[in-house]
């Protein structure tokens, strides 16, 4: 469904960094959500943002509409791209869902696996899960909904051409997210979680506390002012916190 290399931006990770970091975006988006991260992260961490099929430079490709086939394709892309360096995942919203399951899959297979995972704006329990009906809601309703969440830059909403690119990918991603059912699985690697204090997609006040039971090495939850897209305004704080813990995790593993 995709050609190798298109999954990641930049295509090649910095050769000077000792740690790699795969960044997974929210529904309907691509690498752009992490556009500032390369300049914010320390030089020993090489970020690569994932672009799923059906958007940005991959918009000619078919989108996935089911969770598990997309996870399999992403898994293959990551495996094909790895080198000898330790690597981590960080995901926001649907990206967190994919990052978490990808880490589980890699650990289960006994091959290369991430040294750490960062989960933002999603939890396996107590978070909004889209339904099939919501993924098919009329365009004006869908646009109103994403406007309230602040999912995209303001100029997107008044630009029919940009909306025509965003909406089909968003619908497909909502179906992907809705296809997922939590089975209580966890990982052995450390997890750190992040969220916005007034995230409207967090349906249970204790939703983020559920991460503590998904790993024996939970690094805690950090909360910031803002809604679902708190990450846009707090990128500097989130990257600093995550990078520090990732560096410590890698150093500890190297012994």
């Amino acid at each position: 469904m995709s050609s190798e290399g298109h999954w990641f931006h930049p295509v090649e990770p910095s050769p000077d960094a000792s740690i790699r970091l795969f960044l997974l975006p929210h529904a309907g988006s691509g690498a752009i959500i992490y556009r500032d991260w390369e300049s914010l992260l320390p030089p020993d961490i090489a970020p690569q943002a994932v672009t799923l099929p059906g958007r940005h430079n991959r918009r000619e490709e078919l989108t996935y509409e089911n969770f598990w086939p997309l996870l399999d394709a992403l898994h293959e892309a990551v495996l094909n791209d790895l080198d000898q360096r330790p690597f981590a995942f960080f995901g926001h919203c649907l990206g967190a869902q994919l990052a978490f399951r990808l880490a589980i899959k890699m650990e289960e297979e006994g091959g290369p696996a991430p040294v750490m995972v960062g989960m933002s704006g999603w939890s396996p329990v107590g978070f909004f899960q889209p339904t099939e009906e919501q993924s098919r809601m009329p365009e004006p309703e869908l646009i109103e909904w994403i406007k309230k969440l602040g999912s995209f830059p303001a100029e997107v909403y008044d630009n029919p051409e940009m909306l025509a690119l965003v909406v089909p990918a968003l619908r497909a991603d909502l179906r992907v997210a809705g296809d997922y059912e939590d089975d209580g699985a966890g990982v052995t690697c450390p997890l750190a979680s992040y969220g916005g204090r007034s995230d409207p997609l967090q349906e249970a006040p204790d939703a983020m506390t559920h991460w503590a039971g998904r790993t024996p090495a939970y690094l805690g939850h950090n909360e910031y002012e803002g809604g679902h897209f708190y990450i846009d305004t707090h990128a500097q704080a989130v990257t600093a916190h995550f990078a520090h813990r990732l560096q410590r995790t890698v150093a500890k593993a190297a012994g």
Side-chain angles (χ1 to χ4, degrees):
M1 241 190 182
S2 62
S3 52
E4 198 189 325
H6 286 178
W7 285 91
F8 309 112
H9 177 80
V11 175
E12 295 293 330
S14 164
D16 304 323
S18 54
I19 308 165
R20 297 180 62 178
L21 175 59
F22 293 95
L23 302 168
L24 289 91
H26 65 86
S29 186
I32 193 161
I33 180 183
Y34 297 112
R35 61 191 171 276
D36 300 328
W37 281 46
E38 196 160 11
S39 60
L40 293 172
L41 286 163
D44 62 335
I45 299 174
Q48 282 175 289
V50 170
T51 299
L52 303 179
R55 64 217 73 199
H56 302 295
N57 60 315
R58 307 186 68 187
R59 58 179 162 263
E60 302 307 315
E61 298 174 50
L62 285 173
T63 51
Y64 284 85
E65 301 203 354
N66 297 96
F67 187 85
W68 303 103
L70 172 55
L71 187 75
D72 288 343
L74 181 59
H75 179 231
E76 189 182 346
V78 170
L79 279 181
N80 288 340
D81 203 68
L82 293 176
D83 48 31
Q84 297 308 306
R85 289 178 279 183
F87 63 95
F89 298 143
F90 184 98
H92 180 69
C93 189
L94 172 64
Q97 217 173 2
L98 287 166
F100 180 54
R101 281 322 298 207
L102 193 52
I104 291 169
K105 188 176 175 71
M106 294 180 99
E107 287 190 356
E108 282 175 352
E109 295 203 345
V115 292
M116 183 178 162
V117 185
M119 315 300 304
S120 168
W122 178 76
S123 166
V125 180
F127 243 80
F128 164 77
Q129 183 164 19
T131 62
E132 177 69 17
E133 292 73 37
Q134 281 163 324
S135 75
R136 301 190 189 283
M137 65 176 113
E139 193 158 312
E141 282 177 45
L142 186 68
I143 290 163
E144 273 311 303
W145 182 64
I146 58 175
K147 256 188 188 173
K148 276 186 196 146
L149 287 179
S151 314
F152 296 97
E155 61 269 19
V156 169
Y157 304 110
D158 302 319
N159 184 325
E161 285 172 18
M162 287 175 88
L163 279 175
L165 295 177
V166 165
V167 167
L170 178 64
R171 288 190 192 282
D173 286 352
L174 288 174
R175 286 196 275 279
V176 164
D179 188 38
Y180 179 74
E181 277 183 44
D182 180 51
D183 57 3
V187 291
T188 60
C189 70
L191 279 179
S193 62
Y194 302 85
R197 215 158 265 145
S198 48
D199 187 342
L201 296 186
Q202 185 173 320
E203 293 175 344
D206 66 344
M208 298 309 264
T209 65
H210 291 279
W211 284 120
R214 300 303 174 104
T215 174
Y218 184 50
L219 301 176
H221 179 62
N222 270 52
E223 218 167 54
Y224 301 85
E225 286 304 321
H228 190 58
F229 289 95
Y230 78 92
I231 196 166
D232 291 341
T233 42
H234 296 286
Q236 194 161 5
V238 174
T239 48
H241 187 275
F242 184 76
H244 181 58
R245 270 145 193 76
L246 178 55
Q247 287 167 329
R248 274 175 44 187
T249 298
V250 170
K252 198 172 162 189

